[in-house]
Amino acid sequence: MQHAETGCSCVRCRVPCAAKSSWVACHGRNGRDFSGEYVGDVVPIDKISTDRHRLDSYTEELAVAQNNLYAGYPWRFSHFRKTFGYANLPLDGIWLRAPYLHNGSVPTLRDLLNPSIQDPRTKDPIRPTVFYRGYDVFDQAKVGFVSDVNRFDDEGRSKDEPENPRKYFRFDTQVKPGGATPRDRNEGNSNVGHEGLEYGTTLSAQEKDAIVEYLKTF
């Protein structure tokens, strides 16, 4: 059965219609059709509930300063503005955009469909609190880059490539109030938000897997 909201057979791809309709409205129908009702709109931070440090770091004063750049020239900047949230972007090439969320705090698309805090009743998996960034080996199952802490040693080197001397960046999403600096406190690294029924985090594991398979085609 074809559904007008998506142009896709939900029986075939096993993606729940409600979840698909939500992302169609916010991000577009697929990797080529970006005609969703809310594509490009700014979602209030209180609704999406993601980390707000990046949002707060961009001030009215900075926007004014940017709009004064190149004054007197035809190419002068004029469209910078302070907003109250984050914009809905099209999802073309989403499979190659990891890590996810506005601060890069979720390593894979499959992890993004998990909640940030475990429900004690279900014990379902949650988003990784710590992972490695910078490795360029693609995770075809979860869609993102290999990042699991078990794949790296204590110094950040890949266990899969012992001959590779590079040390990768350990990204910690957990707030540490006692740190001396914002970086020590991991400010801006939180992986919360973009959660709930309309964001897919309450779906079954099978339904989440189906969404990831569908997003691979974008």
Side-chain angles (χ1 to χ4, degrees):
M1 177 179 179
Q2 295 289 328
H3 292 267
E5 298 93 338
T6 62
C8 174
S9 168
C10 296
V11 173
R12 183 185 70 232
C13 67
R14 297 180 292 117
V15 176
C17 292
K20 194 181 295 183
S21 295
S22 177
W23 89 54
V24 165
C26 292
H27 300 288
R29 182 169 284 108
N30 52 48
R32 296 166 300 281
D33 182 349
F34 313 136
S35 59
E37 181 179 2
Y38 306 114
V39 175
D41 286 2
V42 174
V43 180
I45 190 67
D46 292 338
K47 174 177 173 58
I48 197 170
S49 300
T50 51
D51 192 294
R52 63 176 302 129
H53 281 77
R54 180 179 176 185
L55 174 67
D56 292 341
S57 69
Y58 190 82
T59 63
E60 292 278 5
E61 293 77 13
L62 178 56
V64 170
Q66 288 180 308
N67 285 324
N68 283 327
L69 291 173
Y70 307 112
Y73 293 93
W75 52 83
R76 175 181 178 176
F77 294 158
S78 60
H79 291 83
F80 288 102
R81 63 187 177 93
K82 171 66 178 173
T83 67
F84 48 83
Y86 295 115
N88 293 324
L89 298 178
L91 299 185
D92 51 320
I94 188 65
W95 57 274
L96 198 57
R97 292 200 212 167
Y100 300 99
L101 289 187
H102 313 94
N103 59 351
S105 61
V106 181
T108 70
L109 284 179
R110 186 59 179 81
D111 291 319
L112 185 60
L113 292 171
N114 288 334
S116 60
I117 300 175
Q118 191 170 63
D119 186 331
R121 298 168 301 174
T122 64
K123 303 293 184 182
D124 288 338
I126 62 172
R127 298 168 181 173
T129 56
V130 179
F131 61 95
Y132 280 89
R133 292 183 55 166
Y135 196 45
D136 61 358
V137 175
F138 189 68
D139 186 331
Q140 298 185 44
K142 292 185 175 181
V143 184
F145 296 99
V146 172
S147 58
D148 191 281
V149 292
N150 296 323
R151 305 283 288 272
F152 299 84
D153 64 22
D154 292 339
E155 294 185 330
R157 295 187 180 92
S158 170
K159 293 180 180 179
D160 299 329
E161 296 183 273
E163 71 285 355
N164 181 357
R166 183 173 178 182
K167 297 179 182 179
Y168 296 94
F169 181 74
R170 185 178 185 273
F171 191 93
D172 191 342
T173 67
Q174 303 165 101
V175 176
K176 297 180 179 179
T181 67
R183 180 169 182 175
D184 291 336
R185 294 189 293 271
N186 290 332
E187 291 182 4
N189 287 8
S190 175
N191 65 3
V192 303
H194 205 272
E195 301 176 62
L197 178 63
E198 62 184 316
Y199 298 113
T201 60
T202 62
L203 300 174
S204 70
Q206 292 76 17
E207 290 169 331
K208 293 176 181 179
D209 290 342
I211 287 178
V212 170
E213 289 303 311
Y214 182 65
L215 291 175
K216 288 179 182 179
T217 68
F218 279 37

